[in-house]
Amino acid sequence: MTSASVVAYGSGDHAGRLFLNRFTRFYGIPVIDVGLAMQRRTDTAYDLFARVSTLVPGHPCLLCGGYVDPPRAREEVIRRDDPDAYERLKEEAYVLGEGDPSPAVVTFTTEAAAMAVNEWLAGVTGLAGAAGMVPTRMRRFHARDERRPLVEVRSDCPCCDAAQTLGRGDVQPFLDMVT
């Protein structure tokens, strides 16, 4: 990677992740996505994970990794753009959930952000050698370890498997998105 331009994203919003998944594909601008998740293990213990995914040519997208949920993204867009329609869907039991109340702890979010910066540095400076950025890195704070899960491009992925979208840039409708 030779460009110093990069988009860093770290929201729990599936709609935003789905948007950036397409954006990086159409414009070729690298995206580094950061996620933090807390899961209750027992009444007093939690599992806490940080994930950094790099969306660059040759790396699988967030859909391939299962890090974005399209139905949930759709619900988020409806909730933002048409709250009345969202409430109707919720009443009809078509809404998957009301979000995750897991709190974010500043030391862990800071460390997750540092992981993202380190991936960017590896990409622009060669810090990690010829391999550059890794597609996905996960830190398990509760276990005090780090993993690199194997995520591969799915052959049926609507993002990665669409050769016509790679580097397509400006199109109408924007990013081929239809409401």
Side-chain angles (χ1 to χ4, degrees), residues 108-128:
F108 301 116
T109 56
T110 301
E111 189 167 342
M115 290 169 57
V117 170
N118 289 339
E119 286 304 321
W120 174 74
L121 286 172
V124 297
T125 67
L127 170 72

Side-chain angles (χ1 to χ4, degrees), residues 61-160:
C61 75
L62 297 173
L63 287 168
C64 291
Y67 304 125
V68 66
D69 179 7
R72 191 162 174 190
R74 177 181 171 271
E75 292 167 2
E76 291 168 355
V77 169
I78 293 170
R79 184 178 191 178
R80 181 185 63 233
D81 295 347
D82 191 348
D84 293 334
Y86 179 81
E87 288 303 317
R88 285 191 302 276
L89 286 173
K90 199 165 113 180
E91 288 171 12
E92 296 168 13
Y94 284 113
V95 174
L96 295 175
E98 278 297 299
D100 184 359
S102 299
V105 180
V106 73
T107 58
F108 301 116
T109 56
T110 301
E111 189 167 342
M115 290 169 57
V117 170
N118 289 339
E119 286 304 321
W120 174 74
L121 286 172
V124 297
T125 67
L127 170 72
M133 295 189 286
V134 297
T136 301
R137 177 184 309 271
M138 290 189 144
R139 184 155 299 153
R140 300 183 323 155
F141 294 108
H142 60 283
R144 297 187 178 179
D145 69 9
E146 186 169 295
R147 298 180 176 201
R148 295 183 189 171
L150 176 62
V151 178
E152 295 180 326
V153 173
R154 291 186 346 226
S155 62
D156 63 340
C157 177
C159 186
C160 295

Side-chain angles (χ1 to χ4, degrees), residues 1 17 20-22 24-25 28-33 53-57 59-63 133-135:
M1 181 157 120
R17 283 193 166 102
L20 284 175
N21 207 47
R22 292 185 67 77
T24 191
R25 181 83 181 164
I29 296 172
V31 170
I32 299 175
D33 180 57
S53 296
T54 57
L55 305 178
V56 297
H59 286 191
C61 75
L62 297 173
L63 287 168
M133 295 189 286
V134 297

